[in-house]
Amino acid sequence: MNEMKSRRILGFPDEFWIGFVIMIGIFLKLVYNVSVGYEVCGHNPGEWTAIINDIPNGGHIGYIQYLYVYHRLPSFDPSLIPGYTQQPLFYIFSAVVLQIFHGFMGWNLGSVLHCIQCVNFVFVLVGTFSGVGILGRMGVKGRKKVMLLLFLMFYPGLYNLGAALDNTPMAFMFGMLAMGKALKWYETRKRGVAISCGVMLGMALMAKFSAFVVIFPIGALFVLARFYDRRGSDKVLYQHMGLVAGISLPMGLWYPIRNLVKFGTSPFYTVPEAAVWQDVSGYSFFQRLRLPKLEELSQLHLTPNTFYEYNIWSQTFKTTVVDEYALNVENVGPHFLAVFLVVSVIFFAILALVMLVQTLTANRMQFENKIFVLTGTVVFFVIYIIHCFANPTVSAMNAREIPFMIFFLCIGVGMCGSATPRDTIFEKVTTYMAHMLIVVISMLSAFLFGFYAI
């Protein structure tokens, strides 16, 4: 009976701390989003200026403006203007919001764009809670669940993701929801859950095509259902697989197919030629994948100097904390704290990966969960590296390209050991170190994003 009771931290049960962490995390993130404004996004944001001679503006804001003004999808080859090859769901949503609040109700344009940015914060929040639900399905509970919730609520990469005025937060949310539905389908084998999974996956693909990476761990569950844990008839299983594919693929592919038919635009869009300072193709494979140097990590913001920015690891972890220009680190104090936060995140990622390997090799997870986690971790990692080399620019190396990865690493932290006297010395030490890093990262992140946001 004692095992069924909530454990207490400082005299309060886990449920109290879960609610407390969620409340504080939501408040501080909302304050951050409201204070920085949508201009903080540095990923081809574009601008809202007068459309002259029917030549649209580029970037995310330009795409939204085009849909708002013309009430139609691009009537030109979208590869000709930066940003228009992106899947249209987020931009249609934003144009509709603008039409209601700016067009009909007369709200200020900038205020409505700022509200859309805050809606992106909600998207990230929903995706985060979905990720916590996945951790729970894996068996993470008690104090470890509280610690991981603390980490995810204050993780700097999710601060930055929720503040961007682009389509990544929406794709992240639907991708996380799709994976959660897939795990639920594997447990229940219900048709309705399969349909929900297909819809969520289709929405993720219609928001951003790079969300296709979640197809792999989802597909691994269906393969397991066919060859490992066979419940029900094969006919029903194939029907459910057909429902997921039949719903999600048309939703994800209709826009590139439409552009191919109308304009001859290749579905495999070519990336525009990068500025000279962004081009890192001249660096060797070893230089780009070796361990980062401290001087590379200390140069936090993007500058026209690829000497500091060609290494994949340094650029990925720096953008986790400061993205491109999220924090004001001009002074020595905040700069030192930001670099320390970057280093702390690096150590946490390495430790979490070690703990994940230990978890996958130990008998602590159900087999289907192991395959799901292993497939997702390997595929996300490999595709990200391929992306960085296929598009050898500074902007390609960004933590926002792999937002799902952090949740798979958290599984290792949550499952390595059971927080009982039965744990091995390795499990006790790594768990203690991970929890200390979570506290440090959370405190530094809350402080920097609370007082030094740009």
Side-chain angles (χ1 to χ4, degrees):
M1 293 294 294
N2 291 334
E3 293 180 359
M4 301 299 294
K5 295 181 179 179
S6 298
R7 299 185 62 183
R8 304 181 77 83
I9 304 174
L10 298 180
F12 294 96
D14 292 340
E15 291 79 4
F16 168 82
W17 290 108
I18 288 174
F20 180 77
V21 168
I22 290 174
M23 181 181 67
I24 298 299
I26 290 176
F27 174 75
L28 292 180
K29 281 188 175 182
L30 186 59
V31 168
Y32 171 69
N33 272 49
V34 170
S35 63
V36 297
Y38 65 88
E39 297 90 349
V40 73
C41 173
H43 306 279
N44 189 28
E47 57 182 347
W48 191 297
T49 57
I51 297 177
I52 302 174
N53 297 326
D54 285 335
I55 300 176
N57 296 310
H60 300 293
I61 296 177
Y63 195 173
I64 295 170
Q65 181 187 24
Y66 180 89
L67 297 177
Y68 170 78
V69 171
Y70 294 102
H71 301 96
R72 65 168 185 256
L73 291 171
S75 59
F76 52 87
D77 183 349
S79 64
L80 298 176
I81 300 180
Y84 285 74
T85 55
Q86 293 284 351
Q87 296 282 72
L89 181 60
F90 169 76
Y91 305 97
I92 294 173
F93 165 79
S94 300
V96 171
V97 172
L98 273 169
Q99 187 63 59
I100 294 172
F101 293 98
H102 177 61
F104 296 151
M105 300 178 65
W107 289 21
N108 176 270
L109 173 65
S111 297
V112 180
L113 289 174
H114 196 173
C115 288
I116 294 172
Q117 178 214 18
C118 290
V119 172
N120 271 354
F121 146 74
V122 176
F123 291 157
V124 171
L125 199 62
V126 173
T128 301
F129 289 150
S130 179
V132 173
I134 291 174
L135 294 176
R137 288 184 179 278
M138 296 289 165
V140 180
K141 56 187 176 181
R143 186 170 301 182
K144 289 197 170 189
K145 190 172 184 178
V146 174
M147 293 302 297
L148 287 175
L149 181 62
L150 174 67
F151 172 74
L152 292 171
M153 292 303 296
F154 294 97
Y155 174 59
L158 295 180
Y159 264 91
N160 291 321
L161 190 65
L165 185 65
D166 63 19
N167 55 342
T168 307
M170 180 182 280
F172 166 73
M173 176 185 70
F174 284 122
M176 293 302 300
L177 289 171
M179 288 190 288
K181 290 293 184 182
L183 286 167
K184 184 177 180 180
W185 171 85
Y186 191 90
E187 294 175 3
T188 64
R189 307 296 170 94
K190 292 182 178 179
R191 180 192 299 268
V193 180
I195 293 174
S196 299
C197 178
V199 172
M200 294 299 105
L201 179 56
M203 298 289 275
L205 295 174
M206 197 159 56
K208 189 171 185 179
F209 198 71
S210 61
F212 80 93
V213 293
V214 304
I215 291 176
F216 293 92
I218 291 173
L221 292 177
F222 281 94
V223 172
L224 279 177
R226 172 62 180 84
F227 296 103
Y228 174 71
D229 185 8
R230 301 179 67 172
R231 282 178 272 159
S233 67
D234 288 346
K235 180 180 179 181
V236 173
L237 173 61
Y238 291 138
Q239 286 177 347
H240 290 186
M241 294 173 65
L243 282 171
V244 174
I247 294 172
S248 62
L249 293 182
M251 293 176 68
L253 295 176
W254 70 268
Y255 186 64
I257 291 176
R258 173 245 186 205
N259 294 334
L260 174 65
V261 172
K262 291 194 68 172
F263 310 110
T265 309
S266 170
F268 305 101
Y269 302 119
T270 57
V271 179
E273 185 175 350
V276 174
W277 74 271
Q278 281 237 15
D279 185 5
V280 295
S281 59
Y283 292 91
S284 68
F285 181 86
F286 171 77
Q287 287 175 307
R288 299 199 61 197
L289 279 180
R290 61 157 172 74
L291 294 176
K293 299 177 181 178
L294 184 59
E295 58 264 29
E296 294 168 352
L297 297 176
S298 63
Q299 177 61 50
L300 292 172
H301 284 159
L302 283 176
T303 59
N305 187 346
T306 54
F307 174 77
Y308 294 112
E309 292 156 351
Y310 61 83
N311 183 264
I312 291 175
W313 308 124
S314 66
Q315 197 60 24
T316 300
F317 285 107
K318 285 192 296 184
T319 54
T320 295
V321 174
V322 299
D323 202 356
E324 291 187 350
Y325 299 101
L327 297 176
N328 182 357
V329 291
E330 301 257 332
N331 296 326
V332 175
H335 182 272
F336 171 80
L337 292 177
V339 173
F340 190 77
L341 180 55
V342 171
V343 175
S344 299
V345 172
I346 292 175
F347 277 117
F348 178 82
I350 295 171
L351 182 61
L353 184 60
V354 172
M355 296 174 77
L356 180 60
V357 171
Q358 195 279 339
T359 300
L360 292 173
T361 56
N363 189 26
R364 293 191 181 275
M365 296 176 67
Q366 296 179 355
F367 182 70
E368 62 271 16
N369 290 342
K370 284 187 178 183
I371 297 300
F372 177 84
V373 173
L374 180 62
T375 302
T377 304
V378 172
V379 169
F380 296 162
F381 174 80
V382 170
I383 288 182
Y384 177 63
I385 298 300
I386 292 174
H387 166 73
C388 291
F389 279 98
N391 180 21
T393 62
V394 172
S395 59
M397 300 175 287
N398 196 290
R400 62 191 292 102
E401 298 293 337
I402 47 172
F404 307 109
M405 188 70 174
I406 190 62
F407 290 87
F408 282 73
L409 292 177
C410 283
I411 292 171
V413 177
M415 295 296 293
C416 182
S418 54
T420 68
R422 294 190 298 259
D423 290 350
T424 65
I425 294 178
F426 173 83
E427 291 169 338
K428 291 178 180 178
V429 170
T430 53
T431 297
Y432 177 80
M433 292 173 61
H435 288 182
M436 290 300 99
L437 284 170
I438 286 173
V439 172
V440 170
I441 290 169
S442 300
M443 292 179 63
L444 284 175
S445 181
F447 177 75
L448 289 171
F449 282 92
F451 293 98
Y452 292 97
I454 291 180

